[in-house]
Amino acid sequence: MVFTNVTPNHATDVSIPILASDYSIFDTAPGISQNKNNVRKLILPLPQGLVSLVPGYAVNGGPYVVALGSYDPLALANFTQEFGVPNPFNVIVQKTCKGALETGSALPSVLVTGGLYIRRADSLQAEFGHQISFYNTNRDEQLQHTYSLSDATVFMTVKGGKFNGKKLKLKAFLAQGWAQNQTESNWKAEADIFVMIPWGIDPFQKEEYLLIHIAINVEAGTSDPNCISLEMAYQKLGQAPTAYVNALKDDILSKLESGVSHLEGAIPELIYLYDFSGVNTVAPTNTVPADALRSPLETHSITYTNFDRQVNQYDSGTAFGLPVTPRPPKIGSAGGSACGPTSLNMALNVIELHQDPLLLYRRTVGANGFSFQDALDFLKGIRAFRSGSLIGGILPAAMKVTTIDTGPGESLTPGWAAIDTIALKKQPMVFRCSLPGGGHMILLVGKGHSQNVADLYGNNHSGDYYIFADPAGHYYANPNNAYTTISNLRARGEGANYGGWFAIYPIEDIRANLLRKQEGTNNPSSYQTLCALTIGQPFPGVRAEARGSSSGPAPHRQERFLSTATDVNPVNNPVTILVTDPQGRKTGVKPDGTIVNEIPNSNYIPEFEEEDGEDGVATIIQNGAKTIDLFAVAPGVYQVELTATNTGTYAFEWSQAGEIGTLPGSDFDFQDVDLGAQITYSITIAPNGGPNLQVSRIAGAIQMSWPTSAEGYSLQAADSLISPATWSALSAAVTITNDSNIVRIPLSSKNQFFRLSK
């Protein structure tokens, strides 16, 4: 055994598994296997002669593999591996002095420990200090280490999935320290390296980090220093213990800095594939029923048997007996057509209106897949689900449900602006895309930005992303084999631990996957479409809708709609709709049947048969409901003209949604008409004003309040309104109570005027 120099002559790199890639906090702590796909591991060069001291894990002398400890969400994935001299007698010096056999020895070792942990301190830096202090307090008083701390970069090579072979640069914190204690007969030298890598936010919005601790030790000793000196004891090391330890420490640091020592394995999904932070979305756990999750801080008995079925359409199909799909990509799979109802149910969970998955499937999925119109009927209750009767929906009367749907050749820009407005309010939207090639429904829950995403995807990606709950799986983790059950996704070891729940989808990629096929007399043609549904604050703009009706407006009911009505023909709509703006431009259907789209930022939306099936085909219902959406609306008088193409009863509704979620105006009307009749409504759209400033007198003070939803507004004061009035910001403190900004100022004898300014 030769230790002539610690720096050159390294053995085969040792491979230390640090985190099995198919584990997540929803697992049931299975036994650890050495045969996991793409296990994340640390590649660590070590000097010749140091081998694994864990029995049974050396493979032909290296590389060495050690199994992880049990998977506990509190001490998430602990690992340990020790390397040393397999036969200590190889480095023992023996000598007979005065008739006695004396011995001297110098035993080097390297211990690698660590794990994936949840931050408990106020910051990661404070947590790092806590971990270092913990190790130090367990050392001998004579061997307390002094540390230097710095920022660092750890390199990682991705294994498996779309990003196989991608080189990542992970931001890290690094600490290095050393200590020694020398007596006449003993010399201990120690050095260690701590590496903390922020690992992202887990679904419970807990900050996780990966900690790696590399401890280097040499202890030289002699039974009789007068017979065998310490120098003779460590002579086979080729260096004094302190020099050996520090040389190896510096060598490991150098190789970490250069990337020779690096991580490899499945992509760190909490950094690159998922956004569970809740900063840009509702809390992830709000999108599933309360019984689907239990925080890991509450119990060590980890059973989440009700989770997968709530966020994955294939798991839902098996669990709730959903019909099998006749369409690709999963022909014959239970729940293969359940992307729409699964997405919608997650949105309903946010407002605590969870539905039975099978009932929701039957109410919203037809022969060609999910139908937005059927979903609207089920939610709003204005028209009965595929029947002529009018009954209540499942939503409370005050809660709005609105949609966006663009047609061939229409600009998507105003629709994206409306969607981004709602996304920034953390309000989920059922969203249609064309992944992986046909119509597919996913839940858009927010919008974010990360330089990590830009670096990962490259090719002019900005790092801006939408956050989706994709019930089929994480498409961009592996586009060639993305959609299946969550357990199958985990088993692949490609970082898709959570399926598609709160998945990061680059904006540039998702905006390119909006194709829809339009049926015609010849071959279907494809066009880009933007289609979304949201519950709560409406998409900003003006909407006018005409549809068939058999009686008055539907009563709204608080209770859930659990009717078992069978499918019948939709209500016949006897009118077309045409909107004329203050400049005389028109959008909709003229009396002669010509479709026009002259008003900027407007969409004419006819009703589709089984509107957005997973095959991506949409067939217009000639006598179906007809809707016109206007975005970025100019103030003025608008004319809405209805022309009867049949005899019957129509219902007409219009609404205006402000930029801050207000409803400046809405109306509802229904009438009987004869063939050829024309009805005109005049609608005045007022300029978009700011929020109302409420003023009241309370206990010797003036109290002013305005809604917190009015972002960017501040309170200003002036002593006079005589031109030119001088307005200045009010310095009084703003408090928030019940979604209102509140300012109180003492009563004064002088006149003062107040306004909100943006």
Side-chain angles (χ1 to χ4, degrees):
M1 192 68 64
V2 179
F3 293 92
T4 56
N5 195 306
V6 69
T7 303
N9 303 323
H10 286 77
T12 303
D13 294 344
V14 295
S15 174
I16 307 169
I18 58 174
L19 179 63
S21 63
D22 57 346
Y23 290 167
S24 75
I25 64 168
F26 301 108
D27 288 324
T28 55
I32 306 303
S33 167
Q34 293 186 60
N35 298 317
K36 299 292 184 184
N37 294 328
N38 305 315
V39 172
R40 301 187 187 104
K41 48 193 161 186
L42 172 67
I43 307 302
L44 182 66
L46 290 177
Q48 285 186 338
L50 295 184
V51 301
S52 171
L53 299 182
V54 178
Y57 290 105
V59 182
N60 297 325
Y64 306 105
V65 178
V66 60
L68 293 172
S70 62
Y71 189 79
D72 182 330
L74 293 181
L76 294 164
N78 294 326
F79 56 88
T80 181
Q81 174 70 73
E82 186 173 8
F83 303 90
V85 180
N87 184 355
F89 291 100
N90 287 339
V91 290
I92 287 181
V93 179
Q94 294 181 324
K95 186 178 180 181
T96 300
C97 295
K98 299 180 180 180
L101 182 63
E102 306 294 345
T103 60
S105 65
L107 300 178
S109 68
V110 175
L111 179 65
V112 183
T113 60
L116 196 64
Y117 301 94
I118 291 174
R119 175 178 65 80
R120 302 300 182 89
D122 292 337
S123 66
L124 277 177
Q125 291 88 338
E127 182 81 14
F128 198 26
H130 172 77
Q131 287 281 10
I132 294 171
S133 297
F134 173 79
Y135 278 87
N136 227 7
T137 55
N138 286 280
R139 292 190 175 99
D140 293 339
E141 184 176 346
Q142 297 84 0
L143 289 169
Q144 293 293 300
H145 291 204
T146 300
Y147 289 95
S148 61
L149 281 71
S150 61
D151 294 332
T153 298
V154 175
F155 294 87
M156 181 173 185
T157 301
V158 176
K159 299 294 184 181
K162 171 183 173 64
F163 305 106
N164 185 50
K166 184 79 174 182
K167 306 295 185 181
L168 305 179
K169 295 180 179 180
L170 306 181
K171 294 181 179 180
F173 304 113
L174 186 143
Q176 56 173 309
W178 75 282
Q180 68 162 343
N181 183 46
Q182 183 177 359
T183 65
E184 184 181 17
S185 60
N186 184 269
W187 192 350
K188 289 183 179 180
E190 301 177 349
D192 56 3
I193 300 167
F194 288 91
V195 179
M196 171 187 271
I197 303 173
W199 207 251
I201 308 297
D202 69 23
F204 291 102
Q205 298 168 266
K206 304 295 184 183
E207 192 171 15
E208 296 186 6
Y209 63 91
L210 176 64
L211 184 71
I212 301 171
H213 179 217
I214 303 170
I216 308 160
N217 298 276
V218 172
E219 182 172 0
T222 173
S223 59
D224 186 348
N226 295 317
C227 180
I228 299 176
S229 67
L230 274 177
E231 183 176 0
M232 293 176 61
Y234 60 73
Q235 64 179 343
K236 289 191 176 183
L237 289 176
Q239 295 171 290
T242 301
Y244 181 97
V245 162
N246 281 308
L248 182 52
K249 172 178 69 70
D250 292 342
D251 184 60
I252 292 175
L253 287 171
S254 173
K255 287 179 168 53
L256 280 170
E257 182 178 357
S258 66
V260 172
S261 181
H262 62 277
L263 303 178
E264 68 175 37
I267 190 168
E269 71 278 1
L270 292 181
I271 306 177
Y272 290 94
L273 298 183
Y274 298 93
D275 187 339
F276 292 116
S277 67
V279 172
N280 304 301
T281 65
V282 297
T285 52
N286 287 356
T287 61
V288 294
D291 63 347
L293 297 174
R294 284 187 298 179
S295 169
L297 299 179
E298 296 175 2
T299 175
H300 286 276
S301 176
I302 308 303
T303 54
Y304 298 108
T305 57
N306 197 30
F307 166 73
D308 293 1
R309 68 186 71 180
Q310 303 295 345
V311 302
N312 182 284
Q313 65 188 80
Y314 304 110
D315 289 306
S316 182
T318 301
F320 301 108
L322 304 185
V324 299
T325 181
R327 293 179 301 280
K330 294 290 184 179
I331 297 175
S333 298
S337 297
C339 56
T342 306
S343 297
L344 181 56
N345 222 355
M346 284 189 279
L348 290 171
N349 284 327
V350 174
I351 58 176
E352 299 182 352
L353 283 177
H354 177 74
Q355 298 295 296
D356 174 80
L358 181 57
L359 170 68
L360 193 57
Y361 184 98
R362 288 174 174 170
R363 293 294 179 267
T364 60
V365 178
N368 290 327
F370 181 77
S371 165
F372 268 80
Q373 187 60 53
D374 289 342
L376 283 168
D377 297 339
F378 179 62
L379 295 169
K380 295 170 66 173
I382 293 176
R383 177 168 67 85
F385 175 79
R386 304 190 195 185
S387 70
S389 60
L390 294 172
I391 57 178
I394 67 168
L395 295 180
M399 191 164 290
K400 294 286 292 184
V401 53
T402 54
T403 60
I404 288 175
D405 199 345
T406 60
E410 294 177 357
S411 171
L412 305 186
T413 300
W416 279 122
I419 283 175
D420 287 350
T421 296
I422 298 300
L424 293 174
K425 298 178 185 301
K426 304 183 181 182
Q427 181 172 301
M429 291 163 273
V430 178
F431 181 91
R432 182 197 181 279
C433 65
S434 53
L435 301 176
H440 180 50
M441 306 301 159
I442 53 186
L443 189 70
L444 199 166
V445 292
K447 183 181 179 183
H449 175 85
S450 170
Q451 186 59 42
N452 288 331
V453 174
D455 295 341
L456 181 68
Y457 286 87
N459 297 325
N460 299 318
H461 282 77
S462 64
D464 292 333
Y465 58 84
Y466 286 117
I467 308 164
F468 283 102
D470 187 336
H474 196 311
Y475 180 80
Y476 291 104
N478 188 346
N480 297 322
N481 198 8
Y483 289 166
T484 182
T485 63
I486 287 182
S487 60
N488 287 342
L489 290 169
R490 290 176 183 162
R492 292 174 184 164
E494 293 162 352
N497 290 354
Y498 309 91
W501 193 45
F502 283 71
I504 288 173
Y505 281 8
I507 278 183
E508 294 83 358
D509 293 348
I510 197 65
R511 288 190 174 184
N513 282 281
L514 301 174
L515 288 178
R516 176 191 277 167
K517 296 177 182 178
Q518 185 178 24
E519 285 193 343
T521 55
N522 299 316
N523 293 330
S525 60
S526 296
Y527 64 94
Q528 290 283 102
T529 184
L530 192 56
C531 187
L533 175 152
T534 191
I535 303 169
Q537 295 186 7
F539 291 114
V542 172
R543 160 160 292 199
E545 181 180 14
R547 58 187 174 276
S549 181
S550 59
S551 62
H556 287 277
R557 301 191 311 198
Q558 294 275 350
E559 64 269 21
R560 297 177 181 178
F561 168 42
L562 300 178
S563 169
T564 57
T566 56
D567 294 356
V568 297
N569 291 329
V571 173
N572 179 59
N573 174 31
V575 297
T576 61
I577 185 171
L578 180 71
V579 173
T580 303
D581 74 359
Q583 286 73 43
R585 297 168 295 192
K586 302 178 185 295
T587 290
V589 183
K590 290 183 175 181
D592 64 3
T594 303
I595 297 177
V596 292
N597 191 10
E598 300 171 351
I599 304 175
N601 302 322
S602 66
N603 294 325
Y604 166 68
I605 310 167
E607 184 177 357
F608 294 100
E609 176 68 36
E610 306 300 351
E611 182 189 337
D612 275 303
E614 289 195 22
D615 54 6
V617 178
T619 305
I620 295 175
I621 301 175
Q622 296 302 320
N623 292 323
K626 296 169 178 64
T627 304
I628 294 176
D629 284 337
L630 306 177
F631 301 97
V633 184
V637 178
Y638 289 74
Q639 304 293 330
V640 182
E641 183 179 351
L642 307 181
T643 300
T645 57
N646 207 336
T647 298
T649 303
Y650 73 85
F652 168 70
E653 181 181 23
W654 79 272
S655 61
Q656 178 186 1
E659 290 291 339
I660 57 172
T662 60
L663 283 171
S666 64
D667 200 1
F668 183 92
D669 189 27
F670 64 97
Q671 290 188 33
D672 296 328
V673 290
D674 295 324
L675 175 64
Q678 290 187 333
I679 302 93
T680 301
Y681 296 87
S682 292
I683 299 171
T684 300
I685 303 298
N688 271 336
N692 291 328
L693 181 62
Q694 304 291 334
V695 181
S696 58
R697 180 174 176 174
I698 299 178
I702 294 294
Q703 175 174 294
M704 290 168 284
S705 64
W706 67 98
T708 55
S709 58
E711 298 174 358
Y713 285 89
S714 61
L715 191 59
Q716 293 183 340
D719 294 332
S720 172
L721 296 181
I722 299 176
S723 180
T726 301
W727 295 93
S728 58
L730 200 65
S731 60
V734 179
T735 60
I736 298 177
T737 304
N738 296 330
D739 297 326
S740 291
N741 295 307
I742 296 176
V743 170
R744 290 185 181 181
I745 61 173
L747 285 174
S748 172
S749 59
K750 71 174 184 176
N751 290 331
Q752 269 193 303
F753 303 88
F754 303 93
R755 73 176 184 181
L756 289 173
S757 179
K758 185 176 184 179

